[in-house]
Amino acid sequence: AAEPDKRTVLVLTGGTCAAGALVLLLGNVYSRWRAKAKIGRARTRRDESLCRAEEAVRRYKDSTSRLDSDHILKLSLSELSNRLKQGSLDPEDVFYSYMDKALEVNKKLNCCTVVLSESLTRKEGLLYGVPVSIKENIAYKKNYDTSCGVISNLDQSAQEDSVLVKVLKEQGAIPFVKTNLPQGLLNYDCSNPIYGQTVNPHNLQKTSGGSSGGEGALVGGGGSLLGIGSDIGGSIRIPAAFCGICGFKPTSGRLSSRGVVPIVRGQKTVLSSSGPMARDVDSLALCMQALLCSHMFALDPTVPPMPFNTQVYQSCRPLRIGYLENDGYTQPSPSFVRGLREVRALLEQAGHTVVPYTPPEITDIMTELLVKGVLADGATSLLQKLEGGPLDPCLRVQVFPYYFPKWLKKTLSFLLKPFSPGVPSILSALCGVGTVSDLWKQHAAVEDFIQENIEEWRRNDIDVLLCPCIGPAFNFLYCGRLTGIAASMTMIYNLLNFPAGVVPVSMVTAEDEEELRQYEGNFQDGFDKLYKKAVSGGQGLPVAVQCVALPWQDELCLRFMREVETLLMKITDQKKTR
């Protein structure tokens, strides 16, 4: 065939390029249209479920004159459970009281993603008749999304209940609403492009925390008595601290994870676990007791058949408590330092032994084990999940460097070393672990770090650890810029696989806010300055402490949390009687 002249080649090439550009443009337009349609359907499902629930509540109120919702909503979980079992309360009265309250709270806080109004059951069990809220990524069968806040997961409803939901139902509980979470889960704000921003029940200008932020807001706002969240970096504990409730992250593997949907499967370095969120510690313990039953062990044989140890939980023996105020990486805010010191004093007065605890050095651990652990593939799998829709503002700053090519991350890491100690190591970690051999080395380093921490506990001869949590609740759009804070204070216990829980102890005072003005942090760098801005304006917000125990000593951790709560209640009661 004759060779085409240059003009013919240019025309053909130009035409091909133009056609390619047109195809790309049309593909982008179609992708945006498809994302918009998916979001629209999800919002319609939510709105329709809310409307049906409002109508059901209205009909129930019209049909009965005995409903005393105010009385029902004031009862603790143990009181409510006892009344239901005795028959002095009707399960339907309880159900519709909490449904009504949840709808009211949702209008204010935007914390619910769907109402599970067909789930009213009559089974006997430890949680007979108790309405329970569940995080959106916990599977509930038929027509309910487990989107994790990403558009690519919409319209893929679960085929069966998660094991946790099955056990809750078997124990007589009534899952009645699903709650909001951040886009992609790996963020401790609570906003996504599908359902929007969830706000804090104590201050509407603050985030509820995340990723179980919908649970934190709903329970903290009074719309749920008991919620189930999940935690891979503080995702139960942070919203609990922000919203002024109790939250517990068990040892990973103590509860079944079947049907609890992660954003990315296969990551084994930093372990996730599901756990309860409630107003008080006894409610957390009752939930754990209900879940740790033969039914769960039969449904999921990978869970060790360890029933709840009531004897350990109810023990009154004095504890030897490690006290950690500053891990050398993140200096807590003044209000949370004050909370820690007040709790330490109460524990000592009650006869417990409190000793200073210095953890092993964690500066390198933050990037080499935590960041590289969660994003071992250089964030490739996470970015794939985020395709097909817009990035939420709460996540945009956090994931922006994830999109950089590997060579650019390495180059920037080298160039920024003289100017910023933290950013270069983070950029380097975002490249991932590299080879399979490197991944094995990282797993070995995690094992060594766990043993190093256990040995430090034994050298100090401590039963449990009292340490800070993140807080008070952040201003919007700061969580994605301060991921290292969460890694230092909460994710570290996911890496170690130590059970950990949060107990509210106080409120931020004007004096705390004044002291915050002098806050400099451990490094006096940009991250410390951002943290100061993130927690500013927190007067009246909850203050919390974190309680930690060794792996599989979940009941001991809860017992320690109950001790803190009990001592604080005594102080409150004494003040009331004066």
Side-chain angles (χ1 to χ4, degrees):
E3 186 177 335
D5 59 34
K6 291 181 180 178
R7 185 168 56 181
T8 305
V9 171
L10 288 172
V11 168
L12 289 172
T13 304
T16 302
C17 290
L22 180 61
V23 169
L24 185 62
L25 176 63
L26 290 173
N28 287 336
V29 170
Y30 174 73
S31 180
R32 286 196 295 269
W33 173 83
R34 192 163 177 261
K36 190 174 180 181
K38 278 188 165 187
I39 292 172
R41 288 194 294 273
R43 290 178 179 173
T44 297
R45 286 194 292 271
R46 176 190 60 180
D47 294 344
E48 287 177 348
S49 76
L50 292 170
C51 287
R52 285 195 299 270
E54 287 177 350
E55 178 60 23
V57 170
R58 185 192 61 77
R59 285 199 305 269
Y60 190 78
K61 283 182 173 180
D62 289 344
S63 68
T64 181
S65 58
R66 69 173 186 271
L67 188 61
D68 187 357
S69 292
D70 290 341
H71 170 68
I72 289 170
L73 296 171
K74 288 176 183 175
L75 296 173
S76 69
L77 178 57
S78 58
E79 291 169 336
L80 182 77
S81 181
N82 288 334
R83 299 273 190 92
L84 284 164
K85 288 171 187 172
Q86 293 165 3
S88 59
L89 272 182
D90 187 293
E92 284 193 282
D93 286 356
V94 174
F95 178 82
Y96 285 107
S97 293
Y98 269 99
M99 182 70 77
D100 192 23
K101 184 63 177 180
L103 293 169
E104 176 191 322
V105 171
N106 180 65
K107 287 177 181 177
K108 184 179 178 184
L109 307 180
N110 187 39
C111 50
C112 300
T113 62
V114 71
V115 174
L116 311 172
S117 54
E118 79 284 5
S119 59
L120 189 58
T121 61
R122 292 282 187 178
K123 285 196 175 185
E124 296 288 340
L126 284 177
L127 296 174
Y128 169 68
V130 175
V132 178
S133 49
I134 59 174
K135 190 175 178 180
E136 195 264 6
N137 68 318
I138 297 174
Y140 191 95
K141 67 182 177 183
K142 293 185 180 178
N143 303 320
Y144 297 111
D145 287 316
T146 50
S147 72
C148 302
V150 297
I151 291 156
S152 58
N153 282 0
L154 286 174
D155 299 336
Q156 299 178 34
S157 57
Q159 297 305 303
E160 63 175 335
D161 289 338
S162 64
V163 167
L164 292 180
V165 167
K166 288 178 181 178
V167 176
L168 286 169
K169 288 180 177 179
E170 186 69 19
Q171 290 284 19
I174 307 168
F176 77 116
V177 67
K178 279 191 153 196
T179 53
N180 204 23
L181 35 63
Q183 185 179 25
L185 293 179
L186 299 178
N187 184 280
Y188 57 101
D189 202 332
C190 191
S191 180
N192 61 72
I194 307 164
Y195 303 113
Q197 175 79 54
T198 299
V199 299
N200 193 290
H202 300 274
N203 184 333
L204 303 185
Q205 303 307 310
K206 297 277 188 173
T207 177
S208 61
S211 62
S212 308
E215 284 301 321
L218 186 62
V219 176
S224 177
L225 195 64
L226 176 65
I228 306 295
S230 62
D231 188 313
I232 193 174
S235 293
I236 286 173
R237 290 159 287 158
I238 295 171
F242 281 15
C243 296
I245 62 172
C246 298
F248 180 60
K249 177 201 82 70
T251 306
S252 182
R254 190 76 194 270
L255 296 178
S256 174
S257 62
R258 283 181 56 189
V260 181
V261 179
I263 186 61
V264 174
R265 293 183 64 194
Q267 189 276 117
K268 300 294 184 183
T269 303
V270 183
L271 300 176
S272 176
S273 60
S274 299
M277 303 170 73
R279 298 177 198 167
D280 55 65
V281 180
D282 274 345
S283 298
L284 304 179
L286 180 59
C287 181
M288 289 296 292
Q289 184 181 357
L291 291 172
L292 293 170
C293 64
S294 57
H295 189 60
M296 184 180 72
F297 306 144
L299 288 171
D300 188 352
T302 67
V303 175
M306 296 170 57
F308 189 81
N309 192 325
T310 305
Q311 185 177 354
V312 171
Y313 177 64
Q314 294 179 347
S315 169
C316 295
R317 72 173 179 86
L319 296 170
R320 186 172 169 87
I321 302 161
Y323 177 78
L324 172 63
E325 190 173 290
N326 189 328
D327 61 13
Y329 191 88
T330 302
Q331 179 183 339
S333 62
S335 58
F336 275 53
V337 171
R338 175 181 58 78
L340 276 169
R341 292 174 180 174
E342 290 174 354
V343 169
R344 179 186 62 184
L346 289 173
L347 289 166
E348 288 175 331
Q349 291 167 17
H352 301 286
T353 302
V354 182
V355 298
Y357 177 79
T358 303
E361 173 62 39
I362 65 167
T363 302
D364 292 336
I365 300 303
M366 305 302 296
T367 51
E368 292 305 306
L369 299 187
L370 289 171
V371 177
K372 275 191 179 180
V374 174
L375 303 172
D377 64 348
T380 300
S381 299
L382 173 62
L383 295 180
Q384 288 172 350
K385 282 290 186 178
L386 294 173
E387 288 177 0
L391 279 176
D392 193 88
C394 84
L395 191 64
R396 194 173 294 142
V397 174
Q398 178 182 328
V399 303
F400 178 66
Y402 298 2
Y403 288 96
F404 295 172
K406 197 171 184 178
W407 66 265
L408 181 57
K409 292 173 189 172
K410 289 187 173 181
T411 302
L412 289 173
S413 176
F414 175 77
L415 294 174
L416 291 173
K417 265 185 183 177
F419 308 103
S420 172
V423 174
S425 59
I426 293 172
L427 285 169
S428 178
L430 291 178
C431 294
V433 296
T435 66
V436 173
S437 176
D438 292 331
L439 182 63
W440 289 352
K441 288 175 183 176
Q442 185 198 60
H443 288 172
V446 171
E447 292 174 7
D448 292 343
F449 184 64
I450 292 170
Q451 288 307 311
E452 189 180 354
N453 276 267
I454 291 172
E455 287 167 9
E456 190 62 34
W457 277 55
R458 288 176 174 161
R459 272 194 293 271
N460 286 272
D461 189 27
I462 59 174
D463 299 307
V464 288
L465 178 68
L466 177 68
C467 59
C469 190
I470 305 169
F474 279 22
N475 294 312
F476 298 125
L477 303 182
Y478 279 92
C479 294
R481 303 166 71 182
L482 287 164
T483 53
I485 304 293
S488 163
M489 290 187 175
T490 53
M491 190 184 285
I492 194 78
Y493 300 112
N494 296 82
L495 181 76
L496 293 168
N497 198 21
F498 288 11
V502 158
V503 182
V505 299
S506 182
M507 306 294 276
V508 179
T509 65
E511 291 76 17
D512 293 329
E513 282 290 290
E514 184 62 31
E515 192 174 344
L516 180 64
R517 296 174 65 179
Q518 311 304 318
Y519 178 91
E520 292 184 339
N522 288 328
F523 301 104
Q524 294 86 50
D525 62 3
F527 289 118
D528 285 329
K529 291 174 183 175
L530 278 175
Y531 186 41
K532 179 178 177 179
K533 291 179 180 177
V535 300
S536 65
Q539 187 171 344
L541 287 174
V543 171
V545 298
Q546 185 172 203
C547 304
V548 185
L550 290 176
W552 307 107
Q553 296 186 7
D554 304 83
E555 291 89 345
L556 180 60
C557 186
L558 285 163
R559 181 257 151 125
F560 179 35
M561 292 170 66
R562 182 170 59 88
E563 183 73 8
V564 171
E565 181 183 66
T566 301
L567 293 173
L568 289 161
M569 287 174 63
K570 286 180 181 177
I571 296 295
T572 303
D573 291 342
Q574 288 171 7
K575 288 178 180 178
K576 287 179 180 177
T577 56
R578 286 175 187 170

